[in-house]
Amino acid sequence: MKKKQQHGGGECPAPWPPAAAAAAGGGPGQGGGFLRRRPLSLLPFLSLRDYVFCMATLLLFCLGSLFYQLNGGPPHFLLALRHCLGNSTYLDDHGPPPQKVLPFPSQVVYNRVGKCGSRTVVLLLRILSEKHGFNLVTSDIHNKTRLTKNEQMELIKNISTAEQPYLFTRHVHFLNFSRFGGDQPVYINIIRDPVNRFLSNYFFRRFGDWRGEQNHMIRTPNMRQEERYLDINVCILENYPECSNPRLFYIIPYFCGQHPRCREPGEWALERAKLNVNENFLLVGILEELEDVLLLLERFLPHYFKDVLSIYKNPEHRKLGNLTVTVKKTVPSPEAIQILYQRMRYEYEFYYYVKEQFHLLKRKFGLKSHIRKPSPRPEFFIPSPLETEEPINDEEEDDEKWLEDIYKR
């Protein structure tokens, strides 16, 4: 009896019968049965006919998808099939889709102008940041608005790396983030009548506010007593440095920027400030119309300012807000006020420009401008813009488009 042939320590498989080999597509001696069956070994449950049918179906599906795209729509038979099955849509089952949400600005800078209601707004922001969960970034530096190039780079880096969404606030002149390779944030600000701002600052430096008379001692510890009690009319009429330029040229640099010429009273700084307002500021409001400013901020930046007006009108907040009112203010003589107007002519031209833009914005959103008795103005100023008396509704449909354009800047 012959011994069985050993191969690698095991028995060799018995050869396929000739009939099986022929059915697999090969002949004896060619190994056709084993080699030709290999491509289908991954799908052992499909016959060759089933495999061909699947491939043909896939090809038809691809051709159908191509036909759909080339003709810009579904084939007619699919539309007819939908008609037969019913016209149920996503809206029927799930209701209307959520209202369109505009692109959300996650970086906001409030480079607040001094003595323009900024402490009141910061109090509101502290409440709102806890309520809405955004990151309120403040600064302990209050008296450094002009920065060197390195200081600008360092501050922009610190702001840009803050956790988003953030709102950064500080007394600082406009910063051009894109100049240093950063993403330009959305800017907001508030200004007020320049003479009123100057008077508020003049007496605040000397006597503080209702939070405590010791505050002014902390801010101006080296001020001599004769300077602290200097009569405002004497300061203006005798041209003391505090009551003359360039100290009176205060508001425009917050919008002009860090260029040295932004600190020089003149047309160049004025025009550059106007340009930045148009290109980089979402809103520049007027303190005399603060409630309307808050309404527009809530409309433009709801993630930050939702419910801000109700918080502002809350009696508890009113108590805190009243503590920030400057004390011991007196009104200069008409002669002194006229001199201030002459020295602050560029400040007033900018103020009335911003006020005009603000009233146009209020008209666009259907808000009334409160007509108040105008303060005296010198003759060289352009007439104040017409103020809105009635809301206008025919432009409301463009509101979202206008906001989209702002966010794309």
Side-chain angles (χ1 to χ4, degrees), residues 109-367:
V109 172
Y110 172 32
N111 63 321
R112 59 189 194 268
V113 180
K115 304 310 298 176
C116 290
S118 59
R119 284 179 295 159
T120 297
V121 176
V122 169
L123 286 175
L124 290 170
L125 286 171
R126 287 173 179 165
I127 298 172
L128 292 168
S129 64
E130 295 182 2
K131 182 180 178 67
H132 301 313
F134 63 86
N135 182 20
L136 178 62
V137 184
T138 60
S139 174
D140 295 329
I141 302 175
H142 303 286
N143 57 355
K144 189 172 180 60
T145 58
R146 306 167 184 175
L147 309 178
T148 66
K149 183 177 180 180
N150 289 335
E151 289 172 338
Q152 293 178 57
M153 294 175 61
E154 185 67 22
L155 180 57
I156 289 174
K157 179 182 177 182
N158 292 338
I159 297 173
S160 301
T161 55
E163 181 183 356
Q164 299 182 18
Y166 68 74
L167 190 151
F168 173 79
T169 177
R170 173 181 162 178
H171 294 300
V172 65
H173 295 168
F174 174 79
L175 294 167
N176 189 345
F177 281 60
S178 57
R179 178 188 174 194
F180 298 99
D183 295 330
Q184 192 71 6
V186 169
Y187 271 87
I188 59 173
N189 217 322
I190 301 174
I191 65 174
R192 70 189 291 188
D193 179 273
V195 166
N196 288 337
R197 193 220 68 81
F198 162 74
L199 294 176
S200 179
N201 183 67
Y202 183 89
F203 292 104
F204 176 74
R205 292 183 66 247
R206 287 161 169 77
F207 309 113
D209 52 33
W210 290 108
R211 291 178 297 176
E213 199 164 340
Q214 70 277 6
N215 287 329
H216 71 278
M217 299 297 296
I218 297 175
R219 292 181 180 276
T220 55
N222 299 322
M223 183 179 288
R224 300 190 306 268
Q225 286 297 96
E226 56 269 25
E227 182 182 0
R228 190 176 303 279
Y229 291 96
L230 176 66
D231 183 87
I232 182 68
N233 291 299
V234 174
C235 181
I236 297 170
L237 297 176
E238 297 188 10
N239 203 23
Y240 278 64
E242 186 176 358
C243 300
S244 59
N245 284 313
R247 297 278 290 274
L248 294 178
F249 193 69
Y250 184 86
I251 297 176
I252 287 177
Y254 276 87
F255 300 88
C256 178
Q258 298 289 336
H259 195 283
R261 292 187 66 182
C262 289
R263 308 164 197 170
E264 302 172 4
E267 291 289 337
W268 188 91
L270 171 64
E271 294 304 319
R272 182 157 178 168
K274 291 179 180 179
L275 181 65
N276 280 333
V277 167
N278 294 331
E279 293 186 352
N280 296 291
F281 283 79
L282 176 64
L283 176 68
V284 181
I286 303 298
L287 181 62
E288 293 84 354
E289 302 170 34
L290 181 58
E291 289 191 9
D292 290 340
V293 176
L294 298 178
L295 276 173
L296 289 177
L297 285 172
E298 184 173 358
R299 180 72 178 270
F300 297 160
L301 301 170
H303 188 80
Y304 297 91
F305 289 96
K306 185 179 179 181
D307 301 325
V308 63
L309 193 58
S310 60
I311 297 173
Y312 173 71
K313 292 182 176 181
N314 186 287
E316 293 300 320
H317 179 269
R318 288 285 190 178
K319 291 179 182 179
L320 293 175
N322 291 336
L323 295 177
T324 64
V325 177
T326 302
V327 300
K328 297 186 179 181
K329 283 196 295 186
T330 60
V331 179
S333 67
E335 180 186 3
I337 290 180
Q338 187 66 22
I339 291 176
L340 284 179
Y341 277 134
Q342 296 288 339
R343 294 173 183 171
M344 304 174 77
R345 61 177 301 169
Y346 294 112
E347 292 278 278
Y348 267 99
E349 187 171 343
F350 179 74
Y351 170 74
Y352 285 119
Y353 175 80
V354 169
K355 189 174 183 180
E356 178 184 12
Q357 299 302 311
F358 181 66
H359 284 168
L360 289 174
L361 199 56
K362 286 172 60 175
R363 280 189 62 184
K364 187 175 185 68
F365 288 91
L367 298 178

Side-chain angles (χ1 to χ4, degrees), residues 75-94:
H76 290 292
F77 77 91
L78 288 181
L79 294 175
L81 180 62
R82 177 180 174 182
H83 178 73
C84 294
L85 296 177
N87 292 322
S88 176
T89 64
Y90 178 88
L91 296 181
D92 298 327
D93 298 329
H94 302 276

